[in-house]
C-alpha cells in the first residue's frame, strides 16, 4: 500500500477502535443497568436498539454530506459529538433519559463510518481499497476487545457511570491525531470518476445493485450484533459467570474476527471484488455454528462455538464492500458506503430486539438459533448481486464531469 494509505488506515484504525469502545461499553454494562433501573430483557434490548435507530438514521445523510462537503469535516464532527454524548451517558438518571442520550449518541456516531471509508478511498488506489478498508475495519474487533478489557477493569472499580466518563476522553486524542497527521487525498484522476453531484449521489442511492450489498451486510451484522449484544448477559444470567469474567471470555472471538476481517479484505482484492466465492461458504459455516450453540454442554464449548461463528461471519465483512469500492469513484464512495452500512445498522436495530423478545417468550437457545436468519439473508443477497466491475458499472451509471 502507498504511504498515504498506511498512515490514513492507522489513524482511522485508532478512531474506529475508540468508536467501538464507546459504543459497546453499554452492552457490557447492561446487567448493571438492568438492576439499577429494574429493566426486563426487552427494555435492555431497547437501550441497544435506540442507539442503532439513531445511528441508522444518520447513515445516508452522513454519506451524502461526506461526499458533498468533505469526509474530513464530517469525521471530525462525529468524533467531537460522540465523545460528548458518551460522557453524558454517565449522567442518566432514568430509563427514559438513558434512551434519549443513547439516541443522540447514535446520531453523533452515525456520520463517521461513511466519512471514514471515503477518507481511505481518497488516499488509496482502487485495486487496494478492500485491503486498506479491511485493515481499518479490523479495528472493530480490536475496539470490541478493548471495550471488554476496559469494562472488566473499570466496572468493578468505578461502576458503569465512572466507566463512561473515563472512555469519553479517548475521542479527543483521536481528533487531535487526525487533524495533525492525516495525509492529503490522492489526485482525483486516479479513479477517473465523475464529480460528487447530487445527480450522481441519487443514482447511487437508487441502484438495486447497491441495495443488494446493503442487504448482504444486514445478514452479516444480524449475527454480529445479536451475539455481541447478548452473549455477556447470557453468560452472566444463565451460567452464573461474573460480568467481568463473562466479558473476558469474548476475547477469542474478537481477536479471530479482527484477523478474518483483514484476510477477507485481502482475498476480496485478489478476487477483483467477487464476493460470492467468500460469502456463501463463510455464511454456511456460520449457520452450522449458530445452530450448534444451544447444544454446548459447558462454557468452554460455548466460547469455542461463538468464536468460530464470529470468525466465519467476519470473513464476509469486506466482501460486502469490495466490489463497490473497486468499481465506483471516490467522489461517490460516501453515498455508496453509507448504503451498505445502513443495511448493517438496520440489523443492529432488529437483532437485539428480536433476541431479547425470544429470550423473554421462548428461550436463550431459540434466540441463538434465530440469528441464523442473518446468514440466510446474506447468501440470498450475494447470489443476486453483481460480481464484476463491468457489471457493477453497467448497473450504476454515473454522469461524467463536464
Amino acid at each position: 500500500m502507498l504511504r498515504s494509505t498506511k498512515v490514513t488506515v492507522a489513524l482511522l484504525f485508532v478512531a474506529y477502535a475508540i468508536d467501538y469502545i464507546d459504543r459497546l461499553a453499554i452492552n457490557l454494562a447492561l446487567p448493571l443497568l438492568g438492576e439499577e433501573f429494574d429493566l426486563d430483557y426487552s427494555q435492555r434490548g431497547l437501550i441497544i436498539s435506540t442507539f442503532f435507530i439513531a445511528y441508522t438514521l444518520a447513515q445516508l445523510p452522513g454519506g451524502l454530506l461526506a461526499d458533498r462537503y468533505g469526509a474530513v469535516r464530517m469525521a471530525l464532527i462525529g468524533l467531537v459529538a460522540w465523545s460528548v454524548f458518551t460522557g453524558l451517558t454517565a449522567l442518566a438518571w432514568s430509563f427514559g433519559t438513558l434512551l434519549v442520550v443513547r439516541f443522540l449518541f447514535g446520531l453523533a456516531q452515525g456520520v463517521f463510518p461513511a466519512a471514514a471509508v471515503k477518507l481511505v478511498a481518497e488516499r488509496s488506489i482502487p485495486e487496494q481499497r478492500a485491503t486498506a478498508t479491511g485493515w481499518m475495519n479490523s479495528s472493530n474487533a480490536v475496539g470490541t476487545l478493548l471495550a471488554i478489557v476496559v469494562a472488566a477493569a473499570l466496572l468493578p472499580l468505578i461502576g458503569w457511570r465512572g466507566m463512561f466518563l473515563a472512555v469519553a476522553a479517548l475521542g479527543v486524542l483521536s481528533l487531535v491525531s487526525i487533524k495533525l497527521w492525516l495525509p492529503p487525498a490522492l489526485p482525483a484522476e486516479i479513479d477517473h470518476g465523475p464529480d460528487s453531484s447530487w445527480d450522481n449521489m441519487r443514482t447511487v442511492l437508487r441502484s438495486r445493485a447497491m441495495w443488494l450489498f446493503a442487504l448482504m451486510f444486514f445478514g452479516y451484522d444480524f449475527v454480529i450484533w445479536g451475539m455481541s449484544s447478548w452473549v455477556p448477559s447470557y453468560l452472566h444470567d444463565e451460567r452464573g459467570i461474573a460480568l467481568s469474567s463473562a466479558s473476558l471470555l469474548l476475547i477469542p472471538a474478537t481477536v479471530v474476527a479482527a484477523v478474518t476481517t483483514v484476510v477477507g479484505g485481502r482475498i476480496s482484492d485478489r478476487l477483483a471484488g467477487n464476493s460470492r466465492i467468500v460469502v456463501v461458504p463463510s455464511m454456511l459455516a456460520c449457520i452450522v455454528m449458530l445452530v450448534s450453540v444451544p447444544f454446548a454442554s459447558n462454557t468452554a464449548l460455548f466460547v469455542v462455538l461463538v468464536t468460530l461463528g464470529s470468525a466465519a461471519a467476519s470473513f464476509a465483512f469486506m466482501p460486502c464492500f469490495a466490489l463497490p469500492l473497486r468499481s465506483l469513484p471516490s467522489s461517490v464512495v460516501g453515498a455508496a458506503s453509507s448504503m451498505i452500512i445502513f443495511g448493517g445498522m438496520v440489523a443492529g436495530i432488529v437483532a437485539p430486539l428480536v433476541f431479547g423478545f425470544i429470550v423473554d417468550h421462548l428461550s436463550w437457545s431459540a434466540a441463538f438459533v434465530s440469528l441464523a436468519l442473518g446468514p440466510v439473508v446474506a447468501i440470498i443477497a450475494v447470489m443476486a448481486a453483481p460480481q464484476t466491475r463491468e457489471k457493477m458499472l453497467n448497473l450504476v451509471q454515473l454522469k461524467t464531469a463536464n
Side-chain angles (χ1 to χ4, degrees), residues 23-31 33 39 41-56 95 98-99 102-103 105-106 224-233 345 347-353 355-356:
R23 184 188 311 184
L24 295 179
I26 195 78
N27 297 351
L28 301 165
L30 207 55
L33 292 168
L39 308 177
Y41 288 112
S42 295
Q43 288 174 310
R44 298 182 200 186
L46 185 58
I47 293 173
I48 300 170
S49 293
T50 295
F51 161 81
F52 281 108
I53 291 170
Y55 193 84
T56 303
F95 177 56
L98 190 59
L99 292 179
R102 296 307 290 181
F103 183 86
F105 173 73
I224 296 301
W225 289 116
M227 289 199 298
S228 65
S229 299
W230 285 106
V231 166
S233 293
M345 296 310 101
I349 296 171
V350 174
L353 280 175
F355 198 108

Short mmCIF file of all heavy atoms in Angstrom, two decimals, residues 23-31 33 39 41-56 95 98-99 102-103 105-106 224-233 345 347-353 355-356:
data_model
loop_
_atom_site.label_atom_id
_atom_site.label_comp_id
_atom_site.label_asym_id
_atom_site.label_seq_id
_atom_site.Cartn_x
_atom_site.Cartn_y
_atom_site.Cartn_z
N ARG A 23 -19.16 2.63 21.92
CA ARG A 23 -20.43 2.03 21.51
C ARG A 23 -20.77 0.78 22.31
O ARG A 23 -21.92 0.58 22.72
CB ARG A 23 -20.36 1.68 20.02
CG ARG A 23 -21.65 1.15 19.45
CD ARG A 23 -21.47 0.65 18.03
NE ARG A 23 -20.77 1.59 17.18
CZ ARG A 23 -20.56 1.39 15.88
NH1 ARG A 23 -20.99 0.28 15.31
NH2 ARG A 23 -19.91 2.29 15.17
N LEU A 24 -19.78 -0.09 22.54
CA LEU A 24 -20.05 -1.40 23.13
C LEU A 24 -19.98 -1.42 24.64
O LEU A 24 -20.35 -2.41 25.26
CB LEU A 24 -19.07 -2.42 22.56
CG LEU A 24 -19.21 -2.69 21.06
CD1 LEU A 24 -18.19 -3.71 20.60
CD2 LEU A 24 -20.61 -3.17 20.73
N ALA A 25 -19.49 -0.35 25.24
CA ALA A 25 -19.44 -0.30 26.70
C ALA A 25 -20.83 -0.51 27.29
O ALA A 25 -20.99 -1.14 28.34
CB ALA A 25 -18.86 1.03 27.16
N ILE A 26 -21.87 -0.03 26.59
CA ILE A 26 -23.23 -0.17 27.09
C ILE A 26 -23.66 -1.63 27.14
O ILE A 26 -24.36 -2.05 28.07
CB ILE A 26 -24.21 0.65 26.21
CG1 ILE A 26 -25.56 0.82 26.90
CG2 ILE A 26 -24.38 0.01 24.84
CD1 ILE A 26 -25.58 1.86 27.96
N ASN A 27 -23.20 -2.44 26.16
CA ASN A 27 -23.57 -3.86 26.15
C ASN A 27 -23.02 -4.58 27.38
O ASN A 27 -23.69 -5.42 27.98
CB ASN A 27 -23.04 -4.54 24.89
CG ASN A 27 -23.64 -3.98 23.62
OD1 ASN A 27 -24.57 -3.20 23.67
ND2 ASN A 27 -23.09 -4.38 22.50
N LEU A 28 -21.78 -4.24 27.72
CA LEU A 28 -21.12 -4.92 28.82
C LEU A 28 -21.63 -4.45 30.18
O LEU A 28 -21.52 -5.16 31.17
CB LEU A 28 -19.61 -4.70 28.70
CG LEU A 28 -19.04 -5.23 27.37
CD1 LEU A 28 -17.65 -4.69 27.14
CD2 LEU A 28 -19.03 -6.75 27.35
N ALA A 29 -22.19 -3.25 30.21
CA ALA A 29 -22.77 -2.73 31.45
C ALA A 29 -24.26 -3.06 31.58
O ALA A 29 -24.89 -2.72 32.58
CB ALA A 29 -22.57 -1.22 31.53
N LEU A 30 -24.82 -3.74 30.57
CA LEU A 30 -26.27 -3.94 30.51
C LEU A 30 -26.85 -4.64 31.75
O LEU A 30 -27.90 -4.21 32.25
CB LEU A 30 -26.60 -4.73 29.24
CG LEU A 30 -28.00 -4.54 28.65
CD1 LEU A 30 -28.28 -3.06 28.39
CD2 LEU A 30 -28.12 -5.32 27.36
N PRO A 31 -26.22 -5.68 32.29
CA PRO A 31 -26.79 -6.28 33.51
C PRO A 31 -26.86 -5.29 34.68
O PRO A 31 -27.83 -5.31 35.45
CB PRO A 31 -25.82 -7.43 33.80
CG PRO A 31 -25.25 -7.80 32.47
CD PRO A 31 -25.10 -6.49 31.76
N LEU A 33 -27.13 -1.97 34.42
CA LEU A 33 -28.21 -1.03 34.11
C LEU A 33 -29.57 -1.65 34.38
O LEU A 33 -30.48 -1.00 34.91
CB LEU A 33 -28.12 -0.61 32.63
CG LEU A 33 -26.92 0.25 32.23
CD1 LEU A 33 -26.82 0.34 30.72
CD2 LEU A 33 -27.04 1.63 32.83
N LEU A 39 -35.02 -3.20 34.76
CA LEU A 39 -35.40 -3.38 33.37
C LEU A 39 -35.50 -4.87 33.03
O LEU A 39 -34.65 -5.66 33.45
CB LEU A 39 -34.38 -2.72 32.44
CG LEU A 39 -34.02 -1.25 32.73
CD1 LEU A 39 -32.94 -0.79 31.77
CD2 LEU A 39 -35.27 -0.38 32.64
N TYR A 41 -35.65 -7.91 29.91
CA TYR A 41 -34.74 -8.12 28.79
C TYR A 41 -35.16 -7.32 27.55
O TYR A 41 -34.31 -6.84 26.79
CB TYR A 41 -34.64 -9.61 28.45
CG TYR A 41 -33.87 -10.40 29.48
CD1 TYR A 41 -34.51 -11.34 30.28
CD2 TYR A 41 -32.51 -10.22 29.65
CE1 TYR A 41 -33.81 -12.07 31.24
CE2 TYR A 41 -31.80 -10.93 30.60
CZ TYR A 41 -32.46 -11.86 31.39
OH TYR A 41 -31.76 -12.57 32.32
N SER A 42 -36.44 -7.16 27.34
CA SER A 42 -36.89 -6.39 26.19
C SER A 42 -36.48 -4.92 26.33
O SER A 42 -36.07 -4.28 25.36
CB SER A 42 -38.42 -6.50 26.04
OG SER A 42 -38.80 -7.83 25.75
N GLN A 43 -36.59 -4.37 27.55
CA GLN A 43 -36.17 -2.98 27.77
C GLN A 43 -34.66 -2.82 27.60
O GLN A 43 -34.20 -1.82 27.06
CB GLN A 43 -36.60 -2.54 29.17
CG GLN A 43 -38.10 -2.33 29.31
CD GLN A 43 -38.49 -2.04 30.75
OE1 GLN A 43 -38.11 -2.75 31.68
NE2 GLN A 43 -39.26 -0.98 30.94
N ARG A 44 -33.90 -3.81 28.05
CA ARG A 44 -32.46 -3.75 27.87
C ARG A 44 -32.11 -3.78 26.37
O ARG A 44 -31.22 -3.06 25.90
CB ARG A 44 -31.78 -4.93 28.58
CG ARG A 44 -31.99 -4.93 30.08
CD ARG A 44 -31.26 -6.10 30.73
NE ARG A 44 -31.80 -6.41 32.05
CZ ARG A 44 -31.29 -7.31 32.88
NH1 ARG A 44 -30.21 -7.99 32.52
NH2 ARG A 44 -31.83 -7.53 34.06
N GLY A 45 -32.83 -4.62 25.64
CA GLY A 45 -32.62 -4.65 24.20
C GLY A 45 -32.96 -3.32 23.55
O GLY A 45 -32.31 -2.89 22.59
N LEU A 46 -33.98 -2.61 24.08
CA LEU A 46 -34.38 -1.32 23.54
C LEU A 46 -33.29 -0.27 23.72
O LEU A 46 -33.12 0.61 22.87
CB LEU A 46 -35.68 -0.86 24.19
CG LEU A 46 -36.29 0.43 23.64
CD1 LEU A 46 -36.57 0.31 22.15
CD2 LEU A 46 -37.56 0.80 24.40
N ILE A 47 -32.55 -0.35 24.82
CA ILE A 47 -31.44 0.58 25.03
C ILE A 47 -30.42 0.46 23.89
O ILE A 47 -29.95 1.46 23.34
CB ILE A 47 -30.75 0.31 26.38
CG1 ILE A 47 -31.67 0.65 27.54
CG2 ILE A 47 -29.45 1.12 26.51
CD1 ILE A 47 -31.13 0.25 28.90
N ILE A 48 -30.10 -0.77 23.55
CA ILE A 48 -29.16 -1.00 22.46
C ILE A 48 -29.76 -0.57 21.13
O ILE A 48 -29.13 0.10 20.31
CB ILE A 48 -28.75 -2.49 22.41
CG1 ILE A 48 -28.09 -2.89 23.73
CG2 ILE A 48 -27.81 -2.76 21.24
CD1 ILE A 48 -27.87 -4.37 23.88
N SER A 49 -31.02 -0.94 20.91
CA SER A 49 -31.65 -0.64 19.63
C SER A 49 -31.88 0.85 19.42
O SER A 49 -31.87 1.32 18.29
CB SER A 49 -32.98 -1.40 19.52
OG SER A 49 -32.75 -2.79 19.46
N THR A 50 -32.09 1.60 20.50
CA THR A 50 -32.26 3.05 20.37
C THR A 50 -31.04 3.69 19.74
O THR A 50 -31.15 4.57 18.87
CB THR A 50 -32.53 3.67 21.76
OG1 THR A 50 -33.78 3.18 22.25
CG2 THR A 50 -32.59 5.18 21.68
N PHE A 51 -29.86 3.26 20.19
CA PHE A 51 -28.63 3.74 19.55
C PHE A 51 -28.64 3.42 18.06
O PHE A 51 -28.34 4.27 17.23
CB PHE A 51 -27.41 3.09 20.21
CG PHE A 51 -26.17 3.15 19.37
CD1 PHE A 51 -25.39 4.30 19.33
CD2 PHE A 51 -25.79 2.06 18.58
CE1 PHE A 51 -24.25 4.36 18.53
CE2 PHE A 51 -24.65 2.11 17.80
CZ PHE A 51 -23.89 3.27 17.76
N PHE A 52 -29.00 2.20 17.71
CA PHE A 52 -28.94 1.79 16.31
C PHE A 52 -29.99 2.49 15.46
O PHE A 52 -29.78 2.72 14.27
CB PHE A 52 -29.08 0.27 16.20
CG PHE A 52 -27.81 -0.46 16.50
CD1 PHE A 52 -27.66 -1.17 17.68
CD2 PHE A 52 -26.75 -0.40 15.62
CE1 PHE A 52 -26.49 -1.83 17.95
CE2 PHE A 52 -25.56 -1.06 15.90
CZ PHE A 52 -25.42 -1.78 17.06
N ILE A 53 -31.14 2.82 16.04
CA ILE A 53 -32.14 3.58 15.30
C ILE A 53 -31.55 4.92 14.87
O ILE A 53 -31.62 5.31 13.69
CB ILE A 53 -33.41 3.79 16.15
CG1 ILE A 53 -34.14 2.46 16.35
CG2 ILE A 53 -34.34 4.81 15.50
CD1 ILE A 53 -35.26 2.52 17.37
N ALA A 54 -30.95 5.64 15.82
CA ALA A 54 -30.34 6.93 15.50
C ALA A 54 -29.15 6.77 14.57
O ALA A 54 -28.97 7.52 13.61
CB ALA A 54 -29.91 7.63 16.79
N TYR A 55 -28.33 5.77 14.84
CA TYR A 55 -27.14 5.50 14.02
C TYR A 55 -27.54 5.21 12.58
O TYR A 55 -26.92 5.67 11.62
CB TYR A 55 -26.40 4.31 14.63
CG TYR A 55 -25.00 4.07 14.13
CD1 TYR A 55 -23.92 4.76 14.68
CD2 TYR A 55 -24.75 3.13 13.15
CE1 TYR A 55 -22.62 4.51 14.25
CE2 TYR A 55 -23.46 2.88 12.72
CZ TYR A 55 -22.39 3.57 13.27
OH TYR A 55 -21.11 3.31 12.85
N THR A 56 -28.62 4.46 12.43
CA THR A 56 -29.12 4.12 11.10
C THR A 56 -29.67 5.35 10.39
O THR A 56 -29.40 5.57 9.20
CB THR A 56 -30.20 3.04 11.20
OG1 THR A 56 -29.67 1.90 11.87
CG2 THR A 56 -30.71 2.62 9.83
N PHE A 95 -34.55 5.33 32.94
CA PHE A 95 -34.61 4.60 31.68
C PHE A 95 -34.86 5.56 30.52
O PHE A 95 -34.23 5.48 29.47
CB PHE A 95 -35.71 3.55 31.77
CG PHE A 95 -35.92 2.77 30.51
CD1 PHE A 95 -34.88 2.06 29.91
CD2 PHE A 95 -37.18 2.71 29.93
CE1 PHE A 95 -35.09 1.33 28.74
CE2 PHE A 95 -37.40 1.97 28.77
CZ PHE A 95 -36.35 1.29 28.18
N LEU A 98 -31.82 7.72 29.66
CA LEU A 98 -30.81 6.88 29.05
C LEU A 98 -31.12 6.66 27.57
O LEU A 98 -30.22 6.71 26.71
CB LEU A 98 -30.75 5.53 29.78
CG LEU A 98 -29.59 4.59 29.43
CD1 LEU A 98 -28.24 5.25 29.71
CD2 LEU A 98 -29.72 3.30 30.22
N LEU A 99 -32.40 6.46 27.25
CA LEU A 99 -32.79 6.29 25.86
C LEU A 99 -32.51 7.55 25.04
O LEU A 99 -32.02 7.48 23.91
CB LEU A 99 -34.27 5.94 25.76
CG LEU A 99 -34.71 4.57 26.28
CD1 LEU A 99 -36.22 4.40 26.13
CD2 LEU A 99 -33.98 3.44 25.57
N ARG A 102 -28.66 7.95 24.51
CA ARG A 102 -28.13 6.97 23.57
C ARG A 102 -28.62 7.23 22.14
O ARG A 102 -27.93 6.92 21.17
CB ARG A 102 -28.52 5.55 24.00
CG ARG A 102 -27.94 5.11 25.32
CD ARG A 102 -26.44 5.27 25.40
NE ARG A 102 -25.72 4.33 24.55
CZ ARG A 102 -24.40 4.27 24.49
NH1 ARG A 102 -23.65 5.11 25.20
NH2 ARG A 102 -23.82 3.38 23.70
N PHE A 103 -29.79 7.83 22.00
CA PHE A 103 -30.26 8.22 20.67
C PHE A 103 -29.38 9.32 20.09
O PHE A 103 -28.94 9.25 18.93
CB PHE A 103 -31.71 8.69 20.75
CG PHE A 103 -32.31 9.05 19.41
CD1 PHE A 103 -32.88 8.07 18.62
CD2 PHE A 103 -32.29 10.36 18.94
CE1 PHE A 103 -33.43 8.39 17.37
CE2 PHE A 103 -32.83 10.69 17.70
CZ PHE A 103 -33.40 9.69 16.92
N PHE A 105 -26.33 10.01 20.98
CA PHE A 105 -25.03 9.39 20.78
C PHE A 105 -25.00 8.65 19.43
O PHE A 105 -24.02 8.71 18.68
CB PHE A 105 -24.75 8.42 21.94
CG PHE A 105 -23.52 7.58 21.76
CD1 PHE A 105 -22.26 8.13 21.89
CD2 PHE A 105 -23.62 6.23 21.49
CE1 PHE A 105 -21.11 7.35 21.75
CE2 PHE A 105 -22.50 5.43 21.35
CZ PHE A 105 -21.23 6.01 21.47
N GLY A 106 -26.08 7.95 19.12
CA GLY A 106 -26.16 7.24 17.84
C GLY A 106 -26.11 8.18 16.66
O GLY A 106 -25.45 7.88 15.64
N ILE A 224 -23.49 -10.55 14.08
CA ILE A 224 -22.51 -9.87 14.93
C ILE A 224 -23.17 -9.10 16.05
O ILE A 224 -22.78 -9.22 17.23
CB ILE A 224 -21.63 -8.94 14.08
CG1 ILE A 224 -20.81 -9.75 13.07
CG2 ILE A 224 -20.73 -8.10 14.96
CD1 ILE A 224 -19.90 -10.79 13.69
N TRP A 225 -24.21 -8.32 15.73
CA TRP A 225 -24.84 -7.51 16.78
C TRP A 225 -25.72 -8.35 17.70
O TRP A 225 -25.86 -8.04 18.88
CB TRP A 225 -25.63 -6.36 16.17
CG TRP A 225 -24.73 -5.32 15.60
CD1 TRP A 225 -24.62 -4.94 14.30
CD2 TRP A 225 -23.75 -4.54 16.30
NE1 TRP A 225 -23.64 -3.98 14.14
CE2 TRP A 225 -23.10 -3.72 15.37
CE3 TRP A 225 -23.37 -4.47 17.65
CZ2 TRP A 225 -22.09 -2.83 15.73
CZ3 TRP A 225 -22.37 -3.59 18.01
CH2 TRP A 225 -21.75 -2.78 17.05
N GLY A 226 -26.29 -9.40 17.17
CA GLY A 226 -27.05 -10.29 18.05
C GLY A 226 -26.16 -10.92 19.11
O GLY A 226 -26.50 -10.94 20.30
N MET A 227 -24.98 -11.42 18.69
CA MET A 227 -24.08 -12.07 19.65
C MET A 227 -23.43 -11.06 20.59
O MET A 227 -23.37 -11.27 21.80
CB MET A 227 -23.02 -12.87 18.90
CG MET A 227 -23.56 -14.11 18.22
SD MET A 227 -22.27 -15.33 17.79
CE MET A 227 -21.26 -14.39 16.65
N SER A 228 -22.90 -9.96 20.03
CA SER A 228 -22.17 -9.01 20.89
C SER A 228 -23.09 -8.35 21.91
O SER A 228 -22.65 -7.99 23.00
CB SER A 228 -21.47 -7.95 20.03
OG SER A 228 -22.41 -7.14 19.35
N SER A 229 -24.36 -8.19 21.56
CA SER A 229 -25.30 -7.53 22.48
C SER A 229 -25.70 -8.43 23.64
O SER A 229 -25.95 -7.94 24.75
CB SER A 229 -26.57 -7.11 21.72
OG SER A 229 -26.27 -6.20 20.69
N TRP A 230 -25.77 -9.75 23.42
CA TRP A 230 -26.41 -10.61 24.39
C TRP A 230 -25.54 -11.70 25.01
O TRP A 230 -25.89 -12.26 26.05
CB TRP A 230 -27.64 -11.28 23.76
CG TRP A 230 -28.77 -10.30 23.64
CD1 TRP A 230 -29.22 -9.71 22.50
CD2 TRP A 230 -29.58 -9.79 24.69
NE1 TRP A 230 -30.27 -8.87 22.78
CE2 TRP A 230 -30.51 -8.89 24.12
CE3 TRP A 230 -29.61 -10.00 26.07
CZ2 TRP A 230 -31.46 -8.22 24.87
CZ3 TRP A 230 -30.55 -9.31 26.83
CH2 TRP A 230 -31.46 -8.44 26.23
N VAL A 231 -24.39 -12.03 24.40
CA VAL A 231 -23.56 -13.09 24.98
C VAL A 231 -23.11 -12.77 26.41
O VAL A 231 -23.16 -13.63 27.28
CB VAL A 231 -22.35 -13.41 24.07
CG1 VAL A 231 -21.31 -14.25 24.80
CG2 VAL A 231 -22.83 -14.17 22.83
N PRO A 232 -22.66 -11.52 26.71
CA PRO A 232 -22.29 -11.24 28.11
C PRO A 232 -23.44 -11.47 29.09
O PRO A 232 -23.25 -12.04 30.17
CB PRO A 232 -21.87 -9.77 28.08
CG PRO A 232 -21.43 -9.53 26.67
CD PRO A 232 -22.37 -10.35 25.84
N SER A 233 -24.65 -11.04 28.71
CA SER A 233 -25.80 -11.24 29.59
C SER A 233 -26.13 -12.71 29.74
O SER A 233 -26.50 -13.18 30.83
CB SER A 233 -27.02 -10.49 29.03
OG SER A 233 -26.82 -9.09 29.09
N MET A 345 -26.80 -1.49 9.99
CA MET A 345 -27.37 -0.84 11.16
C MET A 345 -28.84 -1.17 11.36
O MET A 345 -29.34 -1.19 12.48
CB MET A 345 -27.17 0.68 11.05
CG MET A 345 -25.71 1.10 11.07
SD MET A 345 -24.77 0.35 12.45
CE MET A 345 -23.90 -1.00 11.64
N ALA A 347 -29.88 -4.11 10.87
CA ALA A 347 -29.69 -5.35 11.63
C ALA A 347 -29.39 -5.05 13.10
O ALA A 347 -29.83 -5.79 13.99
CB ALA A 347 -28.56 -6.18 11.02
N GLY A 348 -28.64 -3.97 13.35
CA GLY A 348 -28.34 -3.59 14.72
C GLY A 348 -29.58 -3.19 15.51
O GLY A 348 -29.63 -3.34 16.73
N ILE A 349 -30.58 -2.68 14.80
CA ILE A 349 -31.85 -2.36 15.46
C ILE A 349 -32.65 -3.63 15.72
O ILE A 349 -33.16 -3.87 16.81
CB ILE A 349 -32.69 -1.40 14.59
CG1 ILE A 349 -31.98 -0.07 14.40
CG2 ILE A 349 -34.07 -1.19 15.19
CD1 ILE A 349 -32.64 0.84 13.38
N VAL A 350 -32.74 -4.46 14.69
CA VAL A 350 -33.64 -5.61 14.73
C VAL A 350 -33.11 -6.74 15.62
O VAL A 350 -33.85 -7.29 16.44
CB VAL A 350 -33.88 -6.13 13.30
CG1 VAL A 350 -34.71 -7.42 13.33
CG2 VAL A 350 -34.57 -5.07 12.46
N ALA A 351 -31.81 -7.08 15.46
CA ALA A 351 -31.28 -8.26 16.13
C ALA A 351 -31.39 -8.21 17.66
O ALA A 351 -31.85 -9.18 18.28
CB ALA A 351 -29.84 -8.51 15.69
N PRO A 352 -30.95 -7.12 18.33
CA PRO A 352 -31.08 -7.11 19.79
C PRO A 352 -32.52 -7.20 20.28
O PRO A 352 -32.80 -7.87 21.28
CB PRO A 352 -30.45 -5.76 20.19
CG PRO A 352 -29.53 -5.42 19.07
CD PRO A 352 -30.23 -5.92 17.84
N LEU A 353 -33.45 -6.53 19.57
CA LEU A 353 -34.85 -6.57 19.97
C LEU A 353 -35.43 -7.97 19.78
O LEU A 353 -36.12 -8.50 20.66
CB LEU A 353 -35.66 -5.55 19.16
CG LEU A 353 -35.59 -4.11 19.62
CD1 LEU A 353 -36.34 -3.21 18.64
CD2 LEU A 353 -36.17 -3.94 21.02
N PHE A 355 -33.81 -10.80 19.59
CA PHE A 355 -33.16 -11.72 20.52
C PHE A 355 -33.77 -11.59 21.92
O PHE A 355 -34.13 -12.60 22.56
CB PHE A 355 -31.66 -11.42 20.56
CG PHE A 355 -30.82 -12.53 21.12
CD1 PHE A 355 -30.01 -13.29 20.29
CD2 PHE A 355 -30.81 -12.81 22.48
CE1 PHE A 355 -29.21 -14.31 20.80
CE2 PHE A 355 -30.02 -13.82 22.99
CZ PHE A 355 -29.23 -14.57 22.15
N GLY A 356 -33.89 -10.35 22.40
CA GLY A 356 -34.47 -10.13 23.73
C GLY A 356 -35.90 -10.62 23.82
O GLY A 356 -36.30 -11.22 24.83
#
